[in-house]
Amino acid sequence: MSLTFCGGSFQFKNFFYKYKRGRISQNISFKILVNPCIGNSYCRHKRRTSNALFLTSKAQNDNFQSVQTVVKGANTRSPLQDPNSFFRKLFCLLTLFWSGKEKRKAWIWTFVTTSLALATTLYAVLLSFIQRFFWSALSVKDYRRFRNFMGIYLIAVLVGPPILVLFDWTKARMSLAWRQFLTNFVLEKYLSDKKFYRLTFYGDIDNPDQRVAEDIRSFTDRAVNLMCVIFVAFFDLAVFSVILFRIYPPLYWTLLAYSIFGTTVTLYFGRNLSLLNSKQLSKEADLRFALVRVRENAETIAFYRGEKRELTTLLKLFEATVMNMIHLLRYQRNLGFFTTGYRYLINLLPSMVAAPIYFQGKIELGTISQTYFSFNHVLNDLSLIVNEFFSLSAFSAVVNRIENFLSVIEENKTWSSSVSSAGNSIKSESLKISSRTLSIPKLQVENLTIRIPNTSRILVRNLSFQVTPGTNYLICGESGVGKSSLLRTLAGLWNDGEGEISVPPPESTFLVPQKPYIVLGSILENILYPKMENFDTFSNQNISRLLEEVNLSHLMERLGDMNVYVDLSNILSLGEQQRLAFARLVASKPKFVLLDESTSALDEDNERVMYNLLKKHNITFVSVGNRASLLSYHEIVLRLFEDGSWKIENIGKANQVHSFPTGQ
Ligand SMILES: Nc1ncnc2c1ncn2[C@@H]1O[C@H](COP(=O)(O)OP(=O)(O)OP(=O)(O)O)[C@@H](O)[C@H]1O
């Protein structure tokens, strides 16, 4: 019996982390699908296709009894042992396209492509008959018949290429349409509910970028090709089997035995190829990622003279890629010895079997030619697995990677589900920090405890405070104590822990990190990010005034046009980037702001300008930082300590206090 667990608890997930697949007793093995997204289309497929289902929101301790079970059916195999496991994953991916919102397009392309595939097979059948009669006319020296068939042969040869070219074009277009659909689908999921952040934060999955950009392309290309190959193979097999069987039945039986032997041997010796292909994809992606990091951090690396260290890392990653490739090539070579020999023997087999009846005069030379033709077709169809094995193993690797990616982005649905709409409170059972959206710019924290994910370390214990409009908080404490984590929690980006947070409406809240995100685009796009639709409402004067307010008016003189595309992350200093982030903040007109060491790269004068700007626009802020100069702009200091305790100190009006309160 195979079991699938559905549930969102992180404890539950951690408990089973080591046992994603395993065995409970001789007849019961299990697979964990920590999946709280009941009702979701992708998961519905997964549940429909599992043999049994455990529905749970929370599993207590190590006790299996606490899990409610809904057993859908009994099967004596676990998904890992079940050879259908791959097909189930494939089925889930295929049905996304054929039953998704673009199903009409999908079916039209499928119809056109398979029709053309059929046309190419019919063309091959036609050609086999023309060849047969052509060669027979030659062998009996019948010139008139020869000339007639020569003409027909010529017409057939002229008609064929357009069909074949159209077939190739349709395959490519169908693959592109499918890729378009799947990429949109995956990207929408990936960029919803902050899943992309979560995947990066927890490192749940390797190289999501490669999965979106490369694996989907490879999947759709291979899927369309295989679909056509399999479709044509079935049709081909039926037609040419009849032809071959009618010519000489023993030839057909020999062929059948030969192909069964070839397929069995290939499957046995090639069983590890899919795993090696999958490993190759991740290793290539790791190397590419490391190269991108070198480019992104070029300045720092050059400053530290870290070339040697980077070279060692890159070569190590490349070495891993090469080693796996050597392994893969060795495997392919050994399998190739068999598959190539297997294919070459095909040239001899029909002659060996059919020659005796030809010499007995029972068949013509043209029939022998058609025997070759039909034999090759039938054998190719029956040897589909042998011929396409390398392609199939690469295909199974990408199916696994995409399916795995989709499972992970689907399973994280609760990431932001704890943040409810105005006035309502939702308490997620897996992630206990519940969040409530208020209609006023006020922030309230009650009994908040924050934990480091997957560990028992508590960063903050039972924290309660409230930030009302005009009361600005400064969070301070030693490095690593949890200041940024607290800010992330307030921003809804960190869910591990418990307690209750009431936050202002999202549209009136803003977060400024220490290293601002610089968009690929113009200054204007950077200032208006992420609300690109605000382009019209901001006049050039508004933007110029904003840049002046953050001491960046020189940028306009330097770049000339605020709409010109520039790589600002390379041009601007970190301090300038931080000031640009303040311009973005003011442009979005929030009422409440979270600042994570957002002025760390600024001199005190610029820092004062930024904080005064916030006050001028009546923005309430909670800052993180340890600089004494920050005290002047805040009314209350929240100090965090290593053991999870905390202290709130009212330091009164601005400029009254110039040193941090100490001790507990
Ligand atoms: N994604 C993560 N996974 C595991 N641990 C994490 C993660 N992010 C942060 N931590 C840990 O949580 C602790 C608090 O980190 P945090 O960034 O909140 O500290 P901080 O007080 O802001 O430090 P600093 O002043 O140096 O920026 C650190 O020990 C850090 O290693």
Side-chain angles (χ1 to χ4, degrees), residues 201 452 457 459 478-485 488 494 597:
F201 192 76
I452 295 187
R457 189 183 151 198
L459 292 174
E478 284 171 17
S479 172
V481 80
K483 303 182 293 294
S484 301
S485 308
R488 283 188 200 118
W494 183 300
E597 306 202 38

mmCIF file of all heavy atoms in Angstrom, residues 201 452 457 459 478-485 488 494 597, ligand 1:
data_model
loop_
_atom_site.group_PDB
_atom_site.id
_atom_site.type_symbol
_atom_site.label_atom_id
_atom_site.label_comp_id
_atom_site.label_asym_id
_atom_site.label_seq_id
_atom_site.Cartn_x
_atom_site.Cartn_y
_atom_site.Cartn_z
ATOM 1 N N PHE A 201 14.898 31.573 0.940
ATOM 2 C CA PHE A 201 15.153 31.680 2.366
ATOM 3 C C PHE A 201 15.466 30.318 2.986
ATOM 4 O O PHE A 201 16.388 30.157 3.750
ATOM 5 C CB PHE A 201 13.917 32.301 3.018
ATOM 6 C CG PHE A 201 14.124 32.724 4.436
ATOM 7 C CD1 PHE A 201 14.832 33.885 4.711
ATOM 8 C CD2 PHE A 201 13.618 31.985 5.479
ATOM 9 C CE1 PHE A 201 15.017 34.287 6.017
ATOM 10 C CE2 PHE A 201 13.808 32.384 6.788
ATOM 11 C CZ PHE A 201 14.508 33.540 7.058
ATOM 12 N N ILE A 452 14.273 30.339 14.854
ATOM 13 C CA ILE A 452 15.017 30.133 13.607
ATOM 14 C C ILE A 452 14.457 28.865 12.965
ATOM 15 O O ILE A 452 14.288 27.854 13.654
ATOM 16 C CB ILE A 452 16.528 29.987 13.877
ATOM 17 C CG1 ILE A 452 17.074 31.299 14.432
ATOM 18 C CG2 ILE A 452 17.275 29.596 12.606
ATOM 19 C CD1 ILE A 452 18.566 31.350 14.596
ATOM 20 N N ARG A 457 16.242 27.251 18.335
ATOM 21 C CA ARG A 457 16.716 28.532 18.867
ATOM 22 C C ARG A 457 15.625 29.614 18.777
ATOM 23 O O ARG A 457 15.050 29.845 17.716
ATOM 24 C CB ARG A 457 17.969 28.994 18.115
ATOM 25 C CG ARG A 457 18.578 30.199 18.826
ATOM 26 C CD ARG A 457 19.780 30.779 18.142
ATOM 27 N NE ARG A 457 19.846 32.207 18.459
ATOM 28 C CZ ARG A 457 20.548 33.083 17.785
ATOM 29 N NH1 ARG A 457 21.271 32.691 16.766
ATOM 30 N NH2 ARG A 457 20.542 34.357 18.122
ATOM 31 N N LEU A 459 14.692 33.467 18.976
ATOM 32 C CA LEU A 459 15.331 34.775 18.816
ATOM 33 C C LEU A 459 14.678 35.803 19.732
ATOM 34 O O LEU A 459 15.350 36.590 20.392
ATOM 35 C CB LEU A 459 15.222 35.243 17.359
ATOM 36 C CG LEU A 459 16.032 34.442 16.336
ATOM 37 C CD1 LEU A 459 15.713 34.903 14.926
ATOM 38 C CD2 LEU A 459 17.522 34.578 16.585
ATOM 39 N N GLU A 478 22.766 43.354 19.756
ATOM 40 C CA GLU A 478 24.013 42.860 19.150
ATOM 41 C C GLU A 478 23.757 42.200 17.802
ATOM 42 O O GLU A 478 22.639 41.774 17.513
ATOM 43 C CB GLU A 478 24.649 41.826 20.090
ATOM 44 C CG GLU A 478 25.329 42.457 21.274
ATOM 45 C CD GLU A 478 25.754 41.406 22.293
ATOM 46 O OE1 GLU A 478 25.804 40.220 21.930
ATOM 47 O OE2 GLU A 478 26.020 41.795 23.430
ATOM 48 N N SER A 479 24.830 42.093 17.054
ATOM 49 C CA SER A 479 24.718 41.465 15.737
ATOM 50 C C SER A 479 24.258 40.009 15.876
ATOM 51 O O SER A 479 24.739 39.283 16.750
ATOM 52 C CB SER A 479 26.095 41.524 15.047
ATOM 53 O OG SER A 479 26.050 40.769 13.885
ATOM 54 N N GLY A 480 23.318 39.612 15.064
ATOM 55 C CA GLY A 480 22.839 38.225 15.057
ATOM 56 C C GLY A 480 21.777 37.949 16.110
ATOM 57 O O GLY A 480 21.330 36.814 16.264
ATOM 58 N N VAL A 481 21.351 38.978 16.826
ATOM 59 C CA VAL A 481 20.408 38.769 17.923
ATOM 60 C C VAL A 481 18.978 38.553 17.410
ATOM 61 O O VAL A 481 18.140 37.970 18.078
ATOM 62 C CB VAL A 481 20.514 39.973 18.915
ATOM 63 C CG1 VAL A 481 19.739 41.175 18.423
ATOM 64 C CG2 VAL A 481 20.095 39.578 20.308
ATOM 65 N N GLY A 482 18.706 39.047 16.195
ATOM 66 C CA GLY A 482 17.383 38.803 15.597
ATOM 67 C C GLY A 482 16.638 40.063 15.194
ATOM 68 O O GLY A 482 15.425 40.031 14.997
ATOM 69 N N LYS A 483 17.336 41.165 15.032
ATOM 70 C CA LYS A 483 16.676 42.447 14.701
ATOM 71 C C LYS A 483 16.002 42.359 13.322
ATOM 72 O O LYS A 483 14.821 42.664 13.177
ATOM 73 C CB LYS A 483 17.705 43.601 14.686
ATOM 74 C CG LYS A 483 18.462 43.759 15.991
ATOM 75 C CD LYS A 483 19.412 44.916 15.952
ATOM 76 C CE LYS A 483 20.580 44.749 14.982
ATOM 77 N NZ LYS A 483 21.502 43.676 15.351
ATOM 78 N N SER A 484 16.794 41.927 12.324
ATOM 79 C CA SER A 484 16.219 41.843 10.967
ATOM 80 C C SER A 484 15.118 40.796 10.911
ATOM 81 O O SER A 484 14.120 40.970 10.201
ATOM 82 C CB SER A 484 17.301 41.492 9.946
ATOM 83 O OG SER A 484 18.295 42.472 9.979
ATOM 84 N N SER A 485 15.301 39.722 11.684
ATOM 85 C CA SER A 485 14.277 38.669 11.684
ATOM 86 C C SER A 485 12.967 39.219 12.233
ATOM 87 O O SER A 485 11.894 38.883 11.734
ATOM 88 C CB SER A 485 14.735 37.482 12.527
ATOM 89 O OG SER A 485 16.004 37.082 12.102
ATOM 90 N N ARG A 488 11.474 41.237 9.558
ATOM 91 C CA ARG A 488 10.897 40.343 8.536
ATOM 92 C C ARG A 488 9.551 39.807 9.016
ATOM 93 O O ARG A 488 8.612 39.670 8.238
ATOM 94 C CB ARG A 488 11.828 39.157 8.283
ATOM 95 C CG ARG A 488 13.004 39.496 7.430
ATOM 96 C CD ARG A 488 13.768 38.227 7.061
ATOM 97 N NE ARG A 488 15.112 38.574 6.651
ATOM 98 C CZ ARG A 488 16.215 38.181 7.262
ATOM 99 N NH1 ARG A 488 16.155 37.379 8.303
ATOM 100 N NH2 ARG A 488 17.398 38.553 6.828
ATOM 101 N N TRP A 494 8.459 36.273 7.650
ATOM 102 C CA TRP A 494 9.022 35.230 8.521
ATOM 103 C C TRP A 494 7.873 34.681 9.345
ATOM 104 O O TRP A 494 7.203 35.428 10.047
ATOM 105 C CB TRP A 494 10.100 35.868 9.421
ATOM 106 C CG TRP A 494 10.824 34.930 10.328
ATOM 107 C CD1 TRP A 494 10.277 34.154 11.306
ATOM 108 C CD2 TRP A 494 12.229 34.673 10.374
ATOM 109 N NE1 TRP A 494 11.252 33.440 11.943
ATOM 110 C CE2 TRP A 494 12.469 33.742 11.397
ATOM 111 C CE3 TRP A 494 13.324 35.167 9.655
ATOM 112 C CZ2 TRP A 494 13.743 33.279 11.714
ATOM 113 C CZ3 TRP A 494 14.592 34.703 9.984
ATOM 114 C CH2 TRP A 494 14.801 33.776 10.986
ATOM 115 N N GLU A 597 18.329 48.968 8.660
ATOM 116 C CA GLU A 597 19.638 49.606 8.484
ATOM 117 C C GLU A 597 19.711 50.312 7.133
ATOM 118 O O GLU A 597 20.705 50.216 6.417
ATOM 119 C CB GLU A 597 20.757 48.570 8.630
ATOM 120 C CG GLU A 597 20.637 47.815 9.950
ATOM 121 C CD GLU A 597 21.922 47.171 10.422
ATOM 122 O OE1 GLU A 597 22.979 47.776 10.241
ATOM 123 O OE2 GLU A 597 21.845 46.058 10.953
HETATM 124 N N1 LIG B 1 17.148 31.842 6.605
HETATM 125 C C1 LIG B 1 17.717 31.606 7.772
HETATM 126 N N2 LIG B 1 17.875 30.334 8.139
HETATM 127 C C2 LIG B 1 18.457 30.046 9.316
HETATM 128 N N3 LIG B 1 18.888 30.965 10.176
HETATM 129 C C3 LIG B 1 18.737 32.257 9.869
HETATM 130 C C4 LIG B 1 18.140 32.654 8.648
HETATM 131 N N4 LIG B 1 18.130 33.995 8.618
HETATM 132 C C5 LIG B 1 18.695 34.415 9.758
HETATM 133 N N5 LIG B 1 19.066 33.382 10.501
HETATM 134 C C6 LIG B 1 19.738 33.439 11.806
HETATM 135 O O1 LIG B 1 18.935 34.177 12.694
HETATM 136 C C7 LIG B 1 19.744 34.922 13.565
HETATM 137 C C8 LIG B 1 19.279 36.376 13.559
HETATM 138 O O2 LIG B 1 19.556 36.926 12.288
HETATM 139 P P1 LIG B 1 19.223 38.449 11.999
HETATM 140 O O3 LIG B 1 19.583 38.713 10.597
HETATM 141 O O4 LIG B 1 17.830 38.696 12.413
HETATM 142 O O5 LIG B 1 20.213 39.170 12.988
HETATM 143 P P2 LIG B 1 20.469 40.740 13.195
HETATM 144 O O6 LIG B 1 20.247 41.002 14.623
HETATM 145 O O7 LIG B 1 19.680 41.523 12.231
HETATM 146 O O8 LIG B 1 22.004 40.775 12.828
HETATM 147 P P3 LIG B 1 22.882 41.968 12.180
HETATM 148 O O9 LIG B 1 22.828 43.128 13.142
HETATM 149 O O10 LIG B 1 24.220 41.377 12.119
HETATM 150 O O11 LIG B 1 22.281 42.271 10.851
HETATM 151 C C9 LIG B 1 21.182 34.768 13.102
HETATM 152 O O12 LIG B 1 21.827 33.852 13.958
HETATM 153 C C10 LIG B 1 21.046 34.214 11.709
HETATM 154 O O13 LIG B 1 22.124 33.360 11.420
#
